[in-house]
Amino acid sequence: MSSLPDTFDPYDDATQPAMNIEHYAETWVRVPKQPLFRRPVTLTEITGPTRLAAKLRPGDNDLAHPYPDKPRAMGQLITVSGRVQDEDGRPVRGTVIELWHANCNGRYIHPMDANNPNPLDPHFVGSGRVTTDDEGRYEFLTIKPGAYPYPNHPTRWWRPPHIHMSIFGDGFMSRLVTQMFFPGDPLNDVDLILQSVPDPAARARMVARQIPMAEMPVLNVMGFEHDIVVRGHRQTPFGQ
Amino acid sequence: MTRLIPTASGTVGPFFPPHFFRPGDNDLTVIAPGAPAAAGRRIHVFGHIYEAGRVPRWNSIIEIWQADAGGRFAHPNDPRAAEADPHFMGWGRRASEDDGYFDFITVMPGGYDDPVSGARRAPHINLSVTGSGLMRRLTTTLFFPGEPGNDADPVLGAIGDPALRARLVLGTAASPRVSHGLAAYSIDIVLQGDGETPFFVD
Ligand SMILES: [Fe+2]
């Protein structure tokens, strides 16, 4: 067998979000009522696409200044960088990361956000895609997203600035879609999405770390480091 | 050895970038646009996805993953990976349309003797759903009608009730959109309510 992860335990519910959230209306009609079935893990779950880079054509890691002949996007320039690792702490190499977020006004480039009264920014692309390097590292240059209101319920709340990330990992069972939050934002404490994760330590791991200013190579760019762990570990030698 | 804990999932939300989808992302038979086609019998797998009350769920993201026509995976965890079809992608993605419609072009997957569980896996397609309102993805597995191996498949067998198992077996209705001239297989994915699809612990 290979050196890739071959064991994928069910997630610990304390470290993953609740599926049903009282004031998040979309959960009411989309979360199954029947309990989920446990299935054995077989080859089909411990494998996954290895050639996504050919299909998805990554290479866009500059959301803030995507058109060299035009001005850069409005907003605070930031880098978002980090490592993708498996549960054994080994780097997940060559995996595709997709990232998308609102502009500095809290508006997405998306038909679903067409009625947002805040303006679009013609110089902001809103999304990017890269593959991790041999150490599992990734880096994006972008702008800090604005907060936006969750609109649908009488008990509305502000969604704190956040960045959506989609990571494939080495197999079907390591697939992860998550959100990254910014340290110190008071809106983090009232966000029903972030707060739906019961374990405080697991919530803290969804919040990026600000890189000290002195360590940043460019004066006007704020750096955020965000490491990601995807599911999967190797069987211990005495495990079978 | 210290074990790291997987990062918490979060909803994909309603704003997954439309341009992340390109033509051909839902075609598993090529690894890149214009690349040679995979071996095997090409099929069209389509369906509709619904939320509670049989309301079509649009803007869901459906991803699938399956073995090649010979029941192999081009992945290092498969001991037979060297024999896997180099032209088969095995993975596809598609957003559901306004009426919940989604579809994929693929090849009929092969069954295989599973080296992990020791069981025989019937031909199947793994499917996951993400979207707004889903804090974690939902996963299920689709099977083919009339396959003698279905009865002994350990994943389909994890569902005790035959009526629920039947919901994971593809039908043979023709697609209302396009024929591609291929054998068509259909499935309703019901997130909640009457006819709810059985999903598995991820
Ligand atoms: Fe968002």
Side-chain angles (χ1 to χ4, degrees):
Chain A
M1 283 282 219
S2 75
S3 62
L4 290 173
D6 55 18
T7 302
F8 297 84
D9 301 323
Y11 289 110
D12 175 357
D13 284 344
T15 65
Q16 294 288 327
M19 288 293 280
N20 291 292
I21 299 176
E22 188 184 355
H23 296 298
Y24 180 14
E26 283 82 355
T27 66
W28 305 345
V29 290
R30 297 179 195 163
V31 176
K33 293 292 188 195
Q34 300 304 313
L36 305 180
F37 290 89
R38 286 200 176 276
R39 65 175 161 197
V41 173
T42 68
L43 200 50
T44 195
E45 291 92 11
I46 69 169
T47 56
T50 53
R51 292 174 295 211
L52 276 171
K55 191 96 174 179
L56 298 179
R57 289 178 284 173
D60 311 317
N61 73 337
D62 185 348
L63 287 67
H65 198 179
Y67 316 111
D69 53 335
K70 295 191 175 143
R72 75 160 180 88
M74 298 288 284
Q76 171 65 59
L77 275 176
I78 63 170
T79 55
V80 177
S81 60
R83 287 182 71 199
V84 183
Q85 300 164 275
D86 66 15
E87 291 177 65
D88 291 332
R90 294 174 301 160
V92 179
R93 303 182 172 104
T95 198
V96 173
I97 299 188
E98 299 171 315
L99 171 151
W100 69 102
H101 63 83
N103 70 18
C104 65
N105 305 311
R107 177 166 176 177
Y108 284 91
I109 302 170
H110 196 285
M112 286 284 289
D113 215 13
N115 294 326
N116 190 323
N118 293 328
L120 288 167
D121 177 353
H123 305 122
F124 176 62
V125 287
S127 58
R129 181 147 60 194
V130 297
T131 49
T132 55
D133 69 12
D134 282 350
E135 294 178 326
R137 292 190 184 281
Y138 71 92
E139 182 170 45
F140 291 91
L141 176 67
T142 186
I143 52 95
K144 187 173 179 183
Y148 61 87
Y150 172 82
N152 286 355
H153 190 272
T155 57
R156 294 168 175 173
W157 81 94
W158 282 97
R159 294 235 52 217
H162 62 275
I163 289 179
H164 295 267
M165 300 176 92
S166 143
I167 301 103
F168 286 86
D170 286 325
F172 183 73
M173 298 288 274
S174 57
R175 183 85 173 92
L176 173 70
V177 178
T178 184
Q179 298 183 16
M180 184 205 96
F181 297 85
F182 290 85
D185 195 308
L187 293 174
N188 289 345
D189 296 337
V190 296
D191 182 42
L192 299 189
I193 303 287
L194 176 56
Q195 296 301 322
S196 71
V197 178
D199 176 22
R203 289 199 298 273
R205 288 191 295 269
M206 299 178 81
V207 180
R209 180 186 78 94
Q210 187 174 351
I211 299 170
M213 191 179 186
E215 296 174 23
M216 291 299 294
V218 183
L219 181 65
N220 69 327
V221 180
M222 208 179 270
F224 292 93
E225 184 177 53
H226 190 56
D227 291 341
I228 291 162
V229 179
V230 293
R231 184 167 54 169
H233 61 93
R234 277 180 294 203
Q235 225 162 47
T236 53
F238 44 85
Q240 198 170 29
Chain B
M1 183 195 267
T2 314
R3 181 84 65 81
L4 301 178
I5 297 167
T7 305
S9 170
T11 177
V12 76
F15 304 123
F16 190 80
H19 70 266
F20 273 174
F21 299 101
R22 290 191 178 109
D25 281 0
N26 64 332
D27 182 349
L28 284 68
T29 68
V30 290
I31 61 168
R41 184 166 72 91
R42 285 164 64 86
I43 60 173
H44 187 215
V45 175
F46 74 94
H48 293 84
I49 181 165
Y50 302 96
E51 60 185 40
R54 210 74 176 180
V55 174
R57 176 85 298 268
W58 48 287
N59 199 27
S60 269
I61 299 166
I62 319 278
E63 295 181 358
I64 66 173
W65 167 246
Q66 65 163 76
D68 69 13
R72 291 167 293 239
F73 300 92
H75 184 280
N77 277 347
D78 188 341
R80 297 195 303 160
E83 304 157 41
D85 182 349
H87 303 307
F88 185 59
M89 182 68 196
W91 176 89
R93 179 164 67 184
R94 172 93 148 79
S96 60
E97 297 180 13
D98 287 355
D99 59 353
Y101 182 82
F102 62 89
D103 69 344
F104 295 93
I105 303 285
T106 185
V107 300
M108 178 72 192
Y112 61 91
D113 293 318
D114 182 59
V116 182
S117 64
R120 175 79 187 172
R121 289 303 318 265
H124 64 272
I125 298 174
N126 302 293
L127 181 147
S128 73
V129 183
T130 54
S132 75
L134 293 175
M135 292 300 296
R136 308 193 208 177
R137 70 174 183 172
L138 293 172
T139 59
T140 193
T141 309
L142 310 181
F143 294 85
F144 287 83
E147 283 290 330
N150 285 350
D151 289 340
D153 185 272
V155 171
L156 191 54
I159 301 169
D161 182 346
L164 294 180
R165 282 202 296 271
R167 293 178 192 171
L168 296 185
V169 178
L170 292 150
T172 53
S175 167
R177 296 290 174 85
V178 59
S179 77
H180 296 293
L182 303 172
Y185 293 92
S186 64
I187 194 77
D188 281 347
I189 301 292
V190 181
L191 299 178
Q192 188 191 104
D194 286 344
E196 189 172 295
T197 299
F199 293 99
F200 294 99
V201 175
D202 186 18

